[in-house]
Amino acid sequence: EAEGVFDSIADGILTEPFEKVYHQADAFFFGCTTSSTFGFALCLHRPVFVLDVEGQPWTPEAYELLCRRCVMIPSCFDEKNRLRFDEDLFLEKLDRGPEYPDFAYVEELMIPGGVS
């Protein structure tokens, strides 16, 4: 679906399943946190960026833990229903380079009680 759209700004578009190509990415950018790939990405040692859409109904405890794991980029829909966010903020955060991820979200909400 995105063929040609990102040619001028992306190195390439991978169409294989995420689980087969994730190792090729240095960071992940999500506009939707309800995909199965989001949970998979949270478990990896790579930066995860999330468009934090205004009005999203978050559980406060989950949101706090998610903010420790992900770089949250405030965003909203404009009057023409286009998603808007501060691209400079995103680039600044991306340029900082990876930090060791905080896995409290994964440990407390995705794998409560740990792995046996």
Side-chain angles (χ1 to χ4, degrees):
E1 293 177 20
E3 188 174 347
V5 175
F6 300 105
D7 287 352
S8 65
I9 59 172
D11 293 333
I13 305 259
L14 304 174
T15 58
E16 296 85 7
F18 181 81
E19 292 79 7
K20 291 186 178 183
V21 296
Y22 72 88
H23 61 278
Q24 296 179 42
D26 296 321
F28 303 107
F29 184 77
F30 286 90
C32 173
T33 59
T34 59
S35 74
S36 59
T37 56
F38 180 68
F40 188 94
L42 290 178
C43 297
L44 301 172
H45 288 267
R46 290 182 177 80
V48 176
F49 293 82
V50 173
L51 285 178
D52 187 8
V53 180
E54 183 178 272
Q56 177 70 29
W58 296 103
T59 302
E61 297 81 11
Y63 184 75
E64 179 184 331
L65 292 172
L66 196 61
C67 287
R68 290 170 42 189
R69 172 61 185 95
C70 302
V71 177
M72 305 299 277
I73 305 294
S75 62
C76 64
F77 287 97
D78 68 11
E79 64 282 347
K80 294 184 179 180
N81 205 33
R82 294 176 296 194
L83 191 58
R84 299 292 187 184
F85 63 96
D86 186 335
E87 293 176 31
D88 291 332
L89 174 65
F90 168 68
L91 293 173
E92 173 191 322
K93 301 266 186 182
L94 186 61
D95 198 38
R96 283 189 189 164
E99 297 176 6
Y100 188 80
D102 182 320
F103 286 107
Y105 183 93
V106 173
E107 293 164 353
E108 294 183 32
L109 300 177
M110 293 175 63
I111 313 172
V115 179
S116 36

